[in-house]
Amino acid sequence: MASGGGIPESETTEPLTGTADEGSEENSSRVKLKKELGLLEGVSIILGIIIGSGIFVSPKGVLATTGSVGLSLVVWVVCGLLSMVGALCYAELGTSIPKSGGDYAYIHEGFGSLPAFLFLWDANLIFVPTTNAIMALTFAKYVIQPFFPGCDMPQSAIRLIAALAICFLTFINCWNVRITTKVQDVFMVTKVTALLIIIAAGMTHLAYGHNENFNNAFEGSTTDPGQVAISFYTGIYSYAGWNYLNFMTEELKEPYKNLPRAIYISLPLVTVVYVLANVAYLAVLSPNEMMASDAIAVTFGDQMLGSFSWIMPLFVALSAFGGLSVHIMTSSRLCFVGARQGHFPDFLALINYKCSTPATSLVFLGLLSLCYLFTTNIYSLIEYSSFVESMFIFVTISCLLYMRWKRPDIVRPIKINLIIPITFLLVCGFLVLMPVYVRPREVGAGVAITATGIPAYFLFVYWRNKPECIQRFLLKVTRGVQILTLSVREDKVD
């Protein structure tokens, strides 16, 4: 990870011979992020990241764990409210600690290097590649579902298409960021269009008196706290991304105003759309039909859209594909920031000098994402990653309260009522503790991987004075990766 002592800094940071203009005045000067994002762009970022594949997958998982139509809708509403409360907490953190890295920066500021490293360790080994795998599998299932009506889809075909999607989008992100961002506009249209079609068709069906699925809506509701916590994991996955604007605080115009405003606009809008989409699903499909479907939106389209039913799998596949693309792009920056700060190997902080992209971080996360295609059980992956992510959100909110106590005098342009983070912390605690006896395997795997980060930290980060042979080996690896990926090191930014 961090190189440590043993080799002079001039040797470890020596640019690769023969690479473009790394030594030019332009490249050696400090690069600052421009404040180019206004309120509209902030809202677009939150909506673009949140609305992905989750709303087309998670309704089945929420219904399965809640046991009733009524309780499942309650979970969707509460998940939206929790996301808003959490985003308000992150708004305070993002404006009082205006550093890149989101949770990583906040945990580092409040609790120090080791907890921050463990977040980075889990983010890059668990919930980032797992989310990529979920989106890729969703895309693959919706692509091949029309070719296997009424029968099981071949699992090998799902894995192959998902792997091709991850590899292709990783290559595109390595090649040209501008193309990636432009394509997102098209994908955003498909996401919104698919949801509007579902809502319009479902509300029309409901208006004609087809409300039988809502009779005795709470009959069969689970009373097991662990199952309720699992249902929240599945629902919260669909709202994931509400904290991503914090990664771009430095690029936001008037962040003290526009950050909370973007939250106030986007999250209520997403909550309303998601709840209406679930009402539309349940107006058309019975609970048994939803549980039997591997692609709910496709089943919905088959019943409601007639000869135009092919539109739904196309739009949902494009939505998942677009969500995967933007997630690959944004998540690679967290890996890059961690490497730049010395918590990950130096070669992950390299930038391709022809394309100006963090190619090594992108390839690294792409390979990890492929590893998570060992299963096509999307709901198992959601529960596995959501537990670990909830655990670190708990740590981040604890950091907010700790800093209120230990550092009361720091400037807080946004200061929320103390009841809000305390309430959110208690909910996060419930979500972390309750699934332990319901999903012990997933929870155990998450805790075990987190624990492996402790010896990794002391071996690769804390131990600075490594033997010179190890230092030279790490330097050779970095230089080898430089040659293979046509990359150079970025000057460290404070």
Side-chain angles (χ1 to χ4, degrees):
M1 313 290 175
S3 299
I7 294 178
E9 180 68 17
S10 59
E11 183 176 356
T12 61
T13 58
E14 178 183 356
L16 183 63
T17 304
T19 55
D21 303 320
E22 301 110 40
S24 68
E25 181 178 350
E26 179 181 354
N27 286 344
S28 62
S29 61
R30 184 178 299 279
V31 178
K32 293 184 178 180
L33 297 172
K34 296 181 180 179
K35 292 184 176 293
E36 297 180 330
L37 303 176
L39 176 60
L40 181 60
E41 290 81 8
V43 172
S44 298
I45 288 171
I46 295 176
L47 291 178
I49 293 177
I50 291 179
I51 302 176
S53 60
I55 187 58
F56 306 110
V57 174
S58 297
K60 174 181 175 179
V62 174
L63 184 62
T65 50
T66 56
S68 71
V69 169
L71 187 56
S72 69
L73 293 177
V74 170
V75 167
W76 281 102
V77 173
V78 175
C79 285
L81 295 176
L82 286 175
S83 298
M84 176 174 288
V85 171
L88 290 174
C89 297
Y90 274 66
E92 176 176 326
L93 287 166
T95 52
S96 58
I97 309 173
K99 296 182 179 180
S100 300
D103 299 68
Y104 172 66
Y106 311 147
I107 295 173
H108 192 281
E109 187 77 16
F111 296 138
S113 182
L114 176 57
F117 174 82
L118 291 178
F119 168 80
L120 198 68
W121 181 263
D122 276 357
N124 289 282
L125 293 184
I126 300 183
F127 51 84
V128 166
T130 301
T131 301
N132 288 342
I134 291 168
M135 291 181 176
L137 290 170
T138 302
F139 166 74
K141 286 187 175 184
Y142 273 97
V143 165
I144 68 175
Q145 172 77 11
F147 300 99
F148 297 91
C151 59
D152 293 335
M153 295 177 285
Q155 302 303 301
S156 57
I158 293 174
R159 289 192 182 95
L160 178 60
I161 294 174
L164 290 174
I166 290 173
C167 292
F168 175 73
L169 289 175
T170 299
F171 167 75
I172 292 296
N173 275 279
C174 288
W175 178 38
N176 194 310
V177 174
R178 182 168 295 181
I179 290 178
T180 303
T181 54
K182 285 184 177 180
V183 169
Q184 292 310 313
D185 295 336
V186 177
F187 289 139
M188 188 63 192
V189 172
T190 62
K191 296 175 186 181
V192 175
T193 302
L195 286 172
L196 290 178
I197 290 174
I198 289 171
I199 292 171
M203 294 302 111
T204 301
H205 190 73
L206 194 61
Y208 278 99
H210 299 284
N211 59 357
E212 55 274 8
N213 292 335
F214 297 98
N215 295 331
N216 301 318
F218 288 90
E219 184 178 352
S221 297
T222 183
T223 56
D224 184 343
Q227 289 292 344
V228 173
I230 296 297
S231 71
F232 274 98
Y233 277 167
T234 311
I236 286 174
Y237 167 75
S238 295
Y239 289 94
W242 49 264
N243 56 339
Y244 271 54
L245 191 58
N246 288 64
F247 286 92
M248 309 186 74
T249 303
E250 297 175 31
E251 300 171 73
L252 197 62
K253 297 175 184 176
E254 298 184 287
Y256 307 147
K257 294 182 180 179
N258 288 331
L259 184 59
R261 287 176 181 175
I263 292 168
Y264 298 151
I265 294 172
S266 57
L267 285 171
L269 182 60
V270 170
T271 302
V272 170
V273 170
Y274 275 14
V275 173
L276 289 177
N278 276 276
V279 171
Y281 283 139
L282 291 165
V284 175
L285 304 175
S286 69
N288 289 335
E289 287 175 323
M290 287 184 66
M291 295 302 301
S293 175
D294 286 326
I296 294 174
V298 172
T299 306
F300 180 93
D302 289 341
Q303 292 201 21
M304 292 299 298
L305 302 181
S307 59
F308 292 97
S309 60
W310 58 271
I311 293 177
M312 194 53 60
L314 174 64
F315 279 3
V316 175
L318 290 176
S319 177
F321 195 73
L324 175 61
S325 177
V326 73
H327 195 265
I328 287 175
M329 179 178 65
T330 54
S331 59
S332 65
R333 272 58 179 179
L334 178 60
C335 180
F336 172 80
V337 167
R340 189 177 63 185
Q341 298 301 324
H343 276 175
F344 267 16
D346 283 347
F347 67 82
L348 293 177
L350 298 176
I351 295 177
N352 183 286
Y353 69 85
K354 288 189 175 181
C355 304
S356 298
T357 57
T360 54
S361 290
L362 284 160
V363 172
F364 174 71
L365 287 175
L367 293 174
L368 286 179
S369 301
L370 293 176
C371 294
Y372 279 93
L373 297 179
F374 68 91
T375 177
T376 56
N377 187 339
I378 291 175
Y379 304 103
S380 177
L381 287 175
I382 289 174
E383 293 164 7
Y384 169 59
S385 63
S386 295
F387 166 76
V388 178
E389 192 163 9
S390 295
M391 182 172 64
F392 276 102
I393 290 175
F394 179 88
V395 174
T396 303
I397 302 302
S398 300
C399 176
L400 185 153
L401 295 173
Y402 179 78
M403 293 184 68
R404 284 280 194 98
W405 174 41
K406 287 292 187 180
R407 299 175 62 182
D409 297 330
I410 66 172
V411 178
R412 292 181 172 86
I414 298 174
K415 189 174 182 179
I416 60 176
N417 190 295
L418 201 58
I419 295 175
I420 294 176
I422 291 175
T423 302
F424 191 67
L425 187 72
L426 293 175
V427 173
C428 287
F430 168 78
L431 293 178
V432 169
L433 294 176
M434 284 299 103
V436 170
Y437 70 92
V438 180
R439 295 288 191 275
R441 181 179 299 177
E442 289 84 355
V443 171
V447 171
I449 292 178
T450 304
T452 61
I454 298 176
Y457 172 81
F458 285 101
L459 180 62
F460 296 110
V461 179
Y462 185 79
W463 182 25
R464 304 293 295 179
N465 297 316
K466 300 180 181 68
E468 188 173 337
C469 60
I470 297 180
Q471 294 286 339
R472 294 190 179 279
F473 172 75
L474 293 173
L475 179 60
K476 288 180 180 180
V477 171
T478 300
R479 286 181 170 172
V481 174
Q482 281 183 303
I483 295 172
L484 290 174
T485 61
L486 302 178
S487 298
V488 295
R489 289 191 57 173
E490 181 197 49
D491 287 338
K492 290 185 178 180
V493 179
D494 293 336

